[in-house]
Amino acid sequence: MTVKNLKQIWPTGQTKVSLAELTTFKIGGVAPFYLAVKDKQSLVEAVKKAQTTKISYVIFAGGSNVVFPGRPSTKLYIHYLTNPLAKDALTIGPTGQVYVEAGLSLASLIKKVISQGRAGLESLSGIPGTVGGAVVGNAGAYGQSISDHLLAVEIFDGQVIRWVDRVTCRFNYRDSIFKYKPWLVLGVKFKLTKGNTETLTKKSRQIIKIRQAKYKPGLACPGSYFKNPLVSKVSARSLKLVDPTKIIDGKIPAGYLLEVVGAKGLKQGQMAVVDFHGNLIMNLGGGTASDAKKLATRLKQKVQDRFGITLEEEVRFLP
Ligand SMILES: Cc1cc2nc3c(=O)[nH]c(=O)nc-3n(C[C@H](O)[C@H](O)[C@H](O)COP(=O)(O)OP(=O)(O)OC[C@H]3O[C@@H](n4cnc5c(N)ncnc54)[C@H](O)[C@@H]3O)c2cc1C
């Protein structure tokens, strides 16, 4: 399939788009063909066309949890960000029922629900990306997860558009069924509780302030690189090696494990662990997916050798 053919199928598509610029980690080569879609209908249409023409595709959104390869091998890169001004992208009912289109930014959703006196998402303030991206990774912070008040998710399963309930979503710590199924996340329903706009705004602002101190503007990273290992999944032998005062909510902070093994400041090419947090890898400029992987492998080995614990990536490598 030539670029000319692709242009005929998707006239608004673009050739040779730098993927690095569309991610917070600033890693990735040039996409052969790129299509920006601004609503869920266009997303489904684009994927249906890719299916019938047998063109390989990748979906991404805010680009805040992904790493693209230096030589992208997929034909079509679909970038799904909902127009924030679209009227039907977000509705909030009088009893706290919320419908939001998946491509809307999480920040827009949180701001709007807080302004309507609805609680349950405020602790996620400052997490970059979209609602759909947050659902895929069950994003969370400060004791709250996107799935806490979630009722159902609207999906395109490759055949039809349908709703799946929260049990089907199999939410776990930074995990969901959406990481394993080729489904599109199109919309989400929540049932939020009543709250006080002033109190919620204050909390949201405080959290954003704390986060800004950790993630300085311009820091090229995907947030935490590794997940925090769950105590329930760690052997008793390994657990004996962990300082119990470091365990938070049944999780061992990966940052603590990495700091013990001397991760801070380690470098691989243009990728480096920042000097103030063991679980934060930054791109110094021109860093590659391959260097990120090499650095991560070294870090994992150190933690494995010292604690017998296997770290697992939170960041997602796309083809
Ligand atoms: C500075 C910084 C701080 C962060 N802090 C946190 C934090 O505190 N907690 C936390 O959990 N995360 C955090 N993250 C990680 C990231 O912001 C979240 O994982 C976010 O929810 C990803 O959303 P996104 O729209 O950017 O998804 P993307 O990165 O674009 O995509 C992530 C994955 O979801 C898939 N995807 C995206 N949209 C759809 C869709 N509509 N349908 C199907 N699949 C889809 C993509 O294919 C990809 O596999 C942080 C990141 C940064 C850069």
Side-chain angles (χ1 to χ4, degrees):
M1 180 80 58
T2 63
V3 164
K4 205 172 154 203
N5 294 142
L6 293 170
K7 255 302 206 195
Q8 275 165 354
I9 304 171
W10 293 284
T12 57
Q14 292 167 250
T15 52
K16 299 196 177 136
V17 170
S18 163
L19 291 170
E21 294 314 309
L22 304 173
T23 72
T24 58
F25 213 4
K26 305 286 176 224
I27 293 180
V30 172
F33 202 70
Y34 163 91
L35 184 71
V37 292
K38 301 234 172 302
D39 56 68
K40 62 181 182 182
Q41 291 83 4
S42 312
L43 175 64
V44 172
E45 281 314 307
V47 167
K48 279 184 178 170
K49 278 186 191 172
Q51 284 172 336
T52 47
T53 49
K54 295 196 170 28
I55 290 167
S56 60
Y57 63 90
V58 159
I59 310 285
F60 70 109
S64 61
N65 205 25
V66 289
V67 186
F68 287 113
R71 285 209 191 117
S73 58
T74 308
K75 266 271 178 316
L76 170 66
Y77 288 79
I78 305 176
H79 194 190
Y80 170 44
L81 293 176
T82 299
N83 180 351
L85 301 175
K87 278 204 188 88
D88 48 0
L90 175 60
T91 51
I92 304 173
T95 58
Q97 288 255 10
V98 173
Y99 169 80
V100 59
E101 208 192 286
L104 197 72
S105 76
L106 186 60
S108 306
L109 170 66
I110 295 171
K111 198 170 167 200
K112 192 75 185 174
V113 295
I114 288 180
S115 75
Q116 305 268 318
R118 288 291 157 187
L121 295 173
E122 61 286 350
S123 296
L124 310 182
S125 297
I127 298 181
T130 62
V131 176
V135 166
V136 171
N138 192 15
Y142 300 99
Q144 241 173 34
S145 296
I146 189 89
S147 59
D148 289 354
H149 298 271
L150 184 148
L151 297 178
V153 177
E154 184 185 24
I155 62 159
F156 175 64
D157 64 8
Q159 308 275 319
V160 291
I161 294 174
R162 61 188 172 97
W163 284 89
V164 289
D165 61 21
R166 55 169 292 136
V167 176
T168 308
C169 297
R170 282 201 249 129
F171 288 116
N172 270 308
Y173 166 64
R174 299 295 174 272
D175 202 25
S176 76
I177 195 165
F178 307 105
K179 285 193 169 180
Y180 312 98
K181 295 268 188 194
W183 295 345
L184 303 178
V185 177
L186 304 177
V188 188
K189 264 187 208 159
F190 297 97
K191 175 92 166 89
L192 299 179
T193 54
K194 238 181 172 353
N196 175 280
T197 297
E198 212 176 302
T199 315
L200 294 168
T201 306
K202 207 170 154 196
K203 185 168 179 188
S204 168
R205 286 197 183 136
Q206 273 169 351
I207 288 175
I208 290 174
K209 213 169 156 192
I210 297 169
R211 299 179 70 94
Q212 280 171 346
K214 179 175 172 189
Y215 302 108
K216 297 254 159 33
L219 182 77
C221 76
S224 298
Y225 196 91
F226 296 105
K227 294 184 188 180
N228 296 324
L230 299 173
V231 169
S232 58
K233 296 268 168 75
V234 166
S235 72
R237 206 163 153 206
S238 292
L239 208 52
K240 270 197 194 140
L241 302 169
V242 171
D243 176 351
T245 65
K246 301 290 179 188
I247 295 172
I248 305 169
D249 294 336
K251 295 178 209 101
I252 309 165
Y256 151 73
L257 299 172
L258 287 158
E259 280 161 32
V260 170
V261 300
K264 281 180 182 169
L266 280 189
K267 272 182 79 177
Q268 178 80 41
Q270 284 297 95
M271 306 303 300
V273 180
V274 298
D275 58 9
F276 58 90
H277 199 292
N279 194 16
L280 199 47
I281 295 182
M282 72 178 291
N283 181 354
L284 299 168
T288 62
S290 147
D291 281 339
K293 274 187 188 160
K294 279 186 199 150
L295 182 55
T297 304
R298 281 168 61 198
L299 297 172
K300 284 169 90 166
Q301 193 59 54
K302 283 175 183 288
V303 171
Q304 186 69 49
D305 292 347
R306 171 77 172 78
F307 293 99
I309 294 174
T310 308
L311 289 181
E312 198 188 319
E313 282 79 358
E314 184 172 325
V315 65
R316 306 204 75 197
F317 284 80
L318 296 184

